[in-house]
Amino acid sequence: MDLGLKGKVAIVAAASSGLGRAVATELSKEGARVSICARTVATLERTADDIRKLTGGEVFARALDVRNEEEVGRFVGEVEAHFGRVDICVTNSGGPPSKLFVDTRTEEWRSAIDLLLLSTVHFAKETLPRMQKHGWGRFITITSYTVKQPVDGLLLSNSVRPAVTGLAKTLANEYGKYGITVNNVCPGYTATERLSELSEAVAARNKVTVDDVVDSWKKQIPAGRLGKPEEFAAVVAFLASERASYVNGTSLAIDGGIVRGLL
Ligand SMILES: NC(=O)c1ccc[n+]([C@@H]2O[C@H](COP(=O)([O-])OP(=O)(O)OC[C@H]3O[C@@H](n4cnc5c(N)ncnc54)[C@H](OP(=O)(O)O)[C@@H]3O)[C@@H](O)[C@H]2O)c1
């Protein structure tokens, strides 16, 4: 199936490793011109080089913090100046710390809102009007399966990510008439650096080994294994494509079946 991504200009936020990197790589393989960001220059530049070598595609990279509205604004402006337009934006960030309610300070709630919700707002404000100009766009938010099924110990993710889902659904309603789709993707347990950190935090809190933690996750997943970043990226590339033109306002789990609810 030709996804129709050749020549499209895509921004993938927080993309020097893990899910973001896999999405940027997949979009580049499909012929999109890709722009990536993350905070650490060295890993960002290495990822940009790796993608260029693998796909032969153009990759634009800028180090920035997605919580910083000004930096996001400058980045999106630079992408437009460099590639001439912005067609696709995939939002992403690091995850908030794994916490229980009793251990969580007010400042940590504010940080989670900056990291997960406001970072998405910053990208939406900058990219949607640019997509509207051309009457075509794809805005995709990466959240977590916690928006469908809260996970013990992931208080901040369980609480703040659903606000991103609400934002995405509302944007889908407001921007659908301009040829723009807005969808949310919800990863389950997918083998990335973040997941290793999370397994270490859970192991320390519960006084068990990391292997015990990973085994307990696998037992909950009907697929019986962790996901691979490239399995996640393939679904995002489809949602970003011409072929997904009538998929709008959904929240799609890519989770091996761990969400037990009907929707
Ligand atoms: N992997 C999973 O199983 C899973 C499941 C559900 C949800 N998620 C969520 O999906 C997101 C991505 O997870 P991942 O597993 O891909 O994590 P990862 O492997 O740790 O990668 C995170 C990426 O985000 C960048 N980043 C972090 N904070 C940033 C910031 N403030 N500004 C700009 N870039 C930032 C990191 O680079 P720098 O550190 O250099 O900035 C890195 O490129 C997280 O929110 C995570 O909680 C993951």
Side-chain angles (χ1 to χ4, degrees):
M1 173 163 59
D2 178 8
L3 292 181
L5 283 167
K6 217 155 266 149
K8 295 281 189 213
V9 175
I11 289 174
V12 187
S16 65
S17 75
L19 303 177
R21 175 182 164 127
V23 169
T25 305
E26 189 66 29
L27 291 174
S28 181
K29 276 187 193 163
E30 289 295 328
R33 293 174 286 167
V34 171
S35 302
I36 59 174
C37 65
R39 290 166 304 176
T40 316
V41 180
T43 41
L44 181 70
E45 291 298 341
R46 203 163 46 239
T47 295
D49 273 345
D50 289 347
I51 299 175
R52 287 184 198 110
K53 277 186 201 129
L54 183 74
T55 69
E58 284 180 77
V59 183
F60 180 83
R62 277 286 176 274
L64 62 89
D65 191 321
V66 295
R67 292 170 293 192
N68 186 315
E69 184 174 5
E70 249 177 57
E71 289 181 5
V72 170
R74 202 173 315 126
F75 173 57
V76 177
E78 284 175 339
V79 172
E80 188 181 49
H82 188 79
F83 287 128
R85 52 195 291 144
V86 176
D87 300 305
I88 297 161
C89 178
V90 181
T91 65
N92 186 30
S93 70
S98 166
K99 290 264 173 175
L100 297 176
F101 183 70
V102 67
D103 302 323
T104 309
R105 290 175 289 116
T106 303
E107 200 36 58
E108 291 172 311
W109 283 98
R110 290 211 175 90
S111 298
I113 291 168
D114 277 340
L115 182 66
L116 302 174
L117 177 61
L118 290 178
S119 66
T120 311
V121 171
H122 303 330
F123 276 102
K125 274 171 73 177
E126 291 296 332
T127 60
L128 290 171
R130 289 173 159 100
M131 294 173 190
Q132 200 178 336
K133 264 194 315 203
H134 298 287
W136 195 97
R138 299 283 182 266
F139 191 83
I140 299 168
T141 54
I142 297 180
T143 59
S144 167
Y145 85 94
T146 57
V147 306
K148 290 178 180 275
Q149 180 172 287
V151 176
D152 290 349
L154 292 186
L155 169 79
L156 294 168
S157 183
N158 296 340
S159 306
V160 180
R161 289 192 195 275
V164 181
T165 315
L167 169 70
K169 187 71 182 163
T170 309
L171 293 175
N173 293 343
E174 290 188 15
Y175 284 85
K177 58 180 170 290
Y178 304 117
I180 299 169
T181 66
V182 182
N183 291 291
N184 173 48
V185 281
C186 315
Y189 292 107
T190 314
T192 66
E193 277 170 39
R194 155 84 179 165
L195 198 70
S196 306
E197 285 166 19
L198 189 63
S199 60
E200 283 160 24
V202 175
R205 194 169 55 232
N206 297 341
K207 301 189 174 42
V208 295
T209 68
V210 167
D211 283 347
D212 290 337
V213 173
V214 174
D215 285 345
S216 77
W217 289 341
K218 287 182 186 166
K219 282 194 192 112
Q220 298 170 52
I221 304 168
R225 62 176 177 82
L226 303 182
K228 299 175 195 156
E230 55 273 23
E231 292 177 301
F232 175 81
V235 178
V236 177
F238 171 70
L239 287 176
S241 76
E242 190 59 56
R243 291 305 178 94
S245 46
Y246 206 54
V247 184
N248 192 28
T250 59
S251 218
L252 183 62
I254 307 163
D255 67 345
I258 198 170
V259 171
R260 298 302 168 125
L262 292 179
L263 299 171

